[in-house]
Amino acid sequence: MTSALIEVKSASRTFGSFTALAPIDLAISSGEFVAIVGPNGAGKTTLVNLLTGLLRPSTGSVTFKGQDVSRLGPVRLARMGMARGFQLVTVFPELTVAETIAVAAFSRLGRAHHWFSSAHSDGDINGRVARVADAFGLTDRLEQPARLLAQGEKKLLDVASAFALEPEVILLDEPTSGVSTADKHAIMQTLVIASEKMGVKAVVLIEHDMDLVATYAGRIVGLHAGRVIADRPKNDFFTDAEVVAMVVGRPPKGFH
Amino acid sequence: MPAPSTTEAARRNRNLCAIGGGVLLVAVLALLPGVASPYTLTMILPVFAYAIALLGLNLLFGTSGLLSFGHALFLAIGAYAAAVMTGHWGVKSLELVLLGGIAAAVVVAIPVGFLSVRYTRIFFGMLTLSFGMLFHSFLIKFYNVTGGDTGMSVKRVRLLGLDLSHLSRVEFQTGPLYYYALVLVIAATLLMWRIVQSPFGLHLRAQRDNARKAEYLGVRVHAFRLAAFVLSAAYGAVAGVLLAVRSGNADPELAYWTHSGELVFMTVLGGFASFVGPLVGAFAFIFLRDWLMGMTEFWRLAMGGILVLVVIFVPRGLAGLAADATTRLRNQFDLRSRR
């Protein structure tokens, strides 16, 4: 497939004698919303870390737009249009919400090396910050230090800052973990709307909650014990009782 | 949107307060030679020098989260550059000596920083400490070049081309050199203020808070840390030149690790969160040490005790304490005026 943004070719990852991920093939193209599901220890985070170059594959290769991800490093990946969120909330505790989003906006516009201009009075940046904050409902929090935010807001800020890179592909590792069910749907809806608004071409999402996956994802990759046991469109995935049982243990509401 | 505009107003308000306080402080310092004794004035000159060094150190520690335990290396480089330039090369102009000191510090800081900024916390501290000690050994051992433990002398310089050799040592230090250094402090503070508020400064703070997250937002963590390191080295060199020009001597003790420790002490004392912190820290340290040295031979012990107390009770330093006090006063004033 030539249109694939991310291409995984028989990439595996071992930690010592432990195989976290057996060799897998995966291609993610423009227009896809891919959910990676599986029980704890199935290798989901390892896979995202391979996709974002945080881990080097033990065998095989991972490419983004045809370039080897592990050689690019996070900074170049960000420039090329890949952004990621983290499973554990990772914000900048002492930076305000506006500043956090501005960090991404400055690197997006290539203005980070400006030493003598004020970071607070750049009109382009402030405009972008306002747009992203608005999309994620953080407008009221703009001047608050990130450490004072509620847990759900920190999650949103982590994702919002990734969106401020205006990426083509965004990878999110459980953006809704540790958030109430009602908030989960709110976060996902925000995410989907923001993706459309900002022209994100592909979303890769790790998620535990099968209701969310069934509602929002278009394609599902099921992992079990470091192997891909299914890689199908959503509807084909949930009709296969055996696969669902292996990755979930139960089918989601509305799919029987 | 009302929210950003009110915060914009608050920021402008805060900036106005800062500018007002700064102007007042500068006025006091400018008028001091008319009132203070020559002894006090000769002690304020190193305060100015250290304030500049601490501004640089604050960029590393406060803004970038990297605590250097070897920063005295760059003060020593500035001092020895001054000695070599005035003694061996016959350079008379202080401006040229400052530029030479900065150039030497930058040349050394690039490789040292390149190796050090890959690490953070204690590892960064230990690496910078080692490089400082390496340079100290070099100064002691290469007697023929550096004069060993006696150091090298620094000749009287011209300020802005003015030949001031007719002035006595004290006259030179309490008059022209005092004002020269004051102007340097002001310029160094304004420049640093600009840099910390810039996008570059924002990215430094982002990587300080969370380097991995910052990388995935496109922050060039290592490159920017290196830039901060080199910049702070240049500030250190300016301080070193001033110290050497004042004392007329470049001494290997300038590079010794205890001197680096004193810089950290001053930073903690003054507080690393504000722009008056360096001046306050340097002032408090130098006058405290002088006072304690006159009182007891156990002054080091007393200084250590004070450091402990500051860390426990005033973690944001004396400048932080003053900032809290003014905020409290302003809040009280606001409450009263609202009634």
Side-chain angles (χ1 to χ4, degrees), chain A:
Chain A
M1 223 194 293
T2 48
S3 66
L5 284 164
I6 299 179
E7 240 178 333
V8 182
K9 283 186 184 147
S10 57
S12 72
R13 176 68 198 198
T14 53
F15 296 101
S17 61
F18 172 68
T19 304
L21 208 60
I24 74 162
D25 290 286
L26 190 68
I28 292 160
S29 307
S30 197
E32 288 198 287
F33 193 128
V34 183
I36 297 171
V37 298
N40 283 330
K44 303 187 297 290
T45 297
T46 304
L47 179 56
V48 164
N49 285 343
L50 286 180
L51 296 182
T52 55
L54 195 58
L55 286 175
R56 217 171 254 277
S58 307
T59 64
S61 69
V62 179
T63 56
F64 176 57
K65 292 183 177 174
Q67 295 205 49
D68 188 339
V69 156
S70 59
R71 279 165 202 272
L72 289 171
V75 175
R76 298 255 293 283
L77 278 174
R79 297 237 163 120
M80 286 172 63
M82 183 193 278
R84 76 168 286 176
F86 289 83
Q87 181 175 8
L88 300 173
V89 176
T90 51
V91 287
F92 309 120
E94 300 302 322
L95 265 55
T96 65
V97 170
E99 285 174 333
T100 305
I101 299 171
V103 167
F106 274 117
S107 53
R108 174 77 184 112
L109 291 183
R111 292 185 189 171
H113 59 277
H114 291 198
W115 286 33
F116 305 113
S117 60
S118 166
H120 295 288
S121 50
D122 185 320
D124 296 344
I125 298 291
N126 289 346
R128 277 162 195 252
V129 169
R131 273 203 304 281
V132 174
D134 184 44
F136 284 87
L138 290 165
T139 304
D140 296 342
R141 296 278 180 270
L142 276 174
E143 296 302 320
Q144 273 198 15
R147 68 187 146 83
L148 299 181
L149 296 180
Q151 193 67 9
E153 289 172 328
K154 282 184 187 168
K155 278 264 170 194
L156 275 178
L157 178 58
D158 184 38
V159 177
S161 61
F163 269 92
L165 281 174
E166 298 179 13
E168 291 177 40
V169 180
I170 190 158
L171 297 97
L172 301 165
D173 194 348
E174 300 199 29
T176 66
S177 67
V179 178
S180 75
T181 315
D183 286 350
K184 279 183 181 192
H185 277 279
I187 290 179
M188 287 306 300
Q189 270 156 18
T190 307
L191 234 157
V192 170
I193 293 167
S195 303
E196 278 166 14
K197 250 194 215 166
M198 296 179 197
V200 175
K201 289 181 185 160
V203 179
V204 180
L205 171 78
I206 290 186
E207 187 52 70
H208 261 299
D209 190 314
M210 284 302 138
D211 292 335
L212 292 184
V213 171
T215 313
Y216 300 100
R219 171 182 162 198
I220 299 171
V221 176
L223 290 179
H224 185 84
R227 286 171 197 288
V228 176
I229 55 165
D231 179 356
R232 302 175 190 174
K234 174 170 63 187
N235 293 329
D236 297 344
F237 186 91
F238 284 113
T239 48
D240 189 331
E242 197 184 339
V243 166
V244 172
M246 271 177 95
V247 298
V248 197
R250 66 174 180 84
K253 290 167 209 157
F255 283 87
H256 296 289

Side-chain angles (χ1 to χ4, degrees), chain B residues 271-306:
Chain B
F272 47 83
S274 76
F275 283 87
V276 279
L279 205 55
V280 172
F283 184 88
F285 179 86
I286 285 170
F287 281 86
L288 192 66
R289 184 176 61 180
D290 183 66
W291 180 60
L292 288 170
M293 275 169 111
M295 288 214 320
T296 164
E297 60 179 302
F298 301 113
W299 62 274
R300 282 175 199 280
L301 186 70
M303 292 288 274
I306 287 167

